[in-house]
Amino acid sequence: MKKISFFLFVALVALTGGGCSYLTSNGRHEAAYARYIRHSSYNRVKLQRKLSRSPKIQPPRMESEPTIATSTGPESVTASAQPATPEN
């Protein structure tokens, strides 16, 4: 009888000692958060791998160097459209 009562006492202490964190609300919350973090990290790494393998968009290349027009002043549209006539 003494061995059975001792065994029951040890079993009772083991079960009520809070050994399993899933029995508490806070423990379930922490486990759910850990699962969420693992899932999010996995998806982030998967997306980064996918983006690193995708072809990069190259900027358009200029065929020639851009030319810079230099003038000393404003130019009239009518003056350049008409041929120059000698004045008398």
Side-chain angles (χ1 to χ4, degrees), residues 13-73:
V13 169
L15 290 176
T16 59
C20 184
S21 65
Y22 287 105
L23 297 177
T24 64
S25 169
N26 192 28
R28 288 189 302 273
H29 176 73
E30 288 177 3
Y33 182 68
R35 281 191 304 273
Y36 166 75
I37 293 297
R38 274 195 312 269
H39 183 72
S40 298
S41 298
Y42 172 75
N43 284 339
R44 186 181 69 239
V45 168
K46 195 165 105 174
L47 181 64
Q48 286 175 346
R49 285 181 189 158
K50 182 179 178 182
L51 290 176
S52 68
R53 292 179 188 152
S54 66
K56 305 291 186 275
I57 298 174
Q58 298 292 331
R61 294 184 180 166
M62 307 267 309
E63 292 181 9
S64 64
E65 291 294 320
T67 56
I68 301 173
T70 58
S71 62
T72 57

